[in-house]
Amino acid sequence: MFGDMMGMLGKLKETQEKVKATKERMNTVILEEQSPDSLLRVRITANRTIKSITIDDSLLEDKDQLEDYLILTLNKAIEKATTINETELAAVAKEGMPNILGMDSFLK
């Protein structure tokens, strides 16, 4: 009984370390999103840290349009980064979980 518990605790610690390493690796995964006409570009990590925003000079003349482009493009970039982040972390967590009936649907 205690051997099983020790094994499970060891597996849990190993999974925690893998999750931490995956989170660190997500800082190096850079995604790029842009407006449909490519006048605004955003670079973001999979951990949702914005690395750069590039704005075409023509957008500087129309504040409302620039704000709209920023909102739309940033939201798309964050959504894409979140999907990648959650998928990667779920895969690592699932790998380290014991095979418990019904857990597959919980982790999806």
Side-chain angles (χ1 to χ4, degrees), residues 41-58:
R41 282 190 220 76
V42 174
R43 293 181 73 226
I44 187 171
T45 69
N47 276 334
R48 297 171 296 266
T49 300
I50 296 170
K51 297 307 250 178
S52 69
I53 298 175
T54 306
I55 302 169
D56 186 272
D57 289 340
S58 65

Side-chain angles (χ1 to χ4, degrees), residues 11-24:
K11 184 89 168 160
L12 180 60
K13 183 172 174 81
E14 180 183 321
T15 300
Q16 287 174 328
E17 290 169 4
K18 286 182 179 179
V19 166
K20 182 180 177 185
T22 300
K23 285 181 179 180
E24 289 173 12

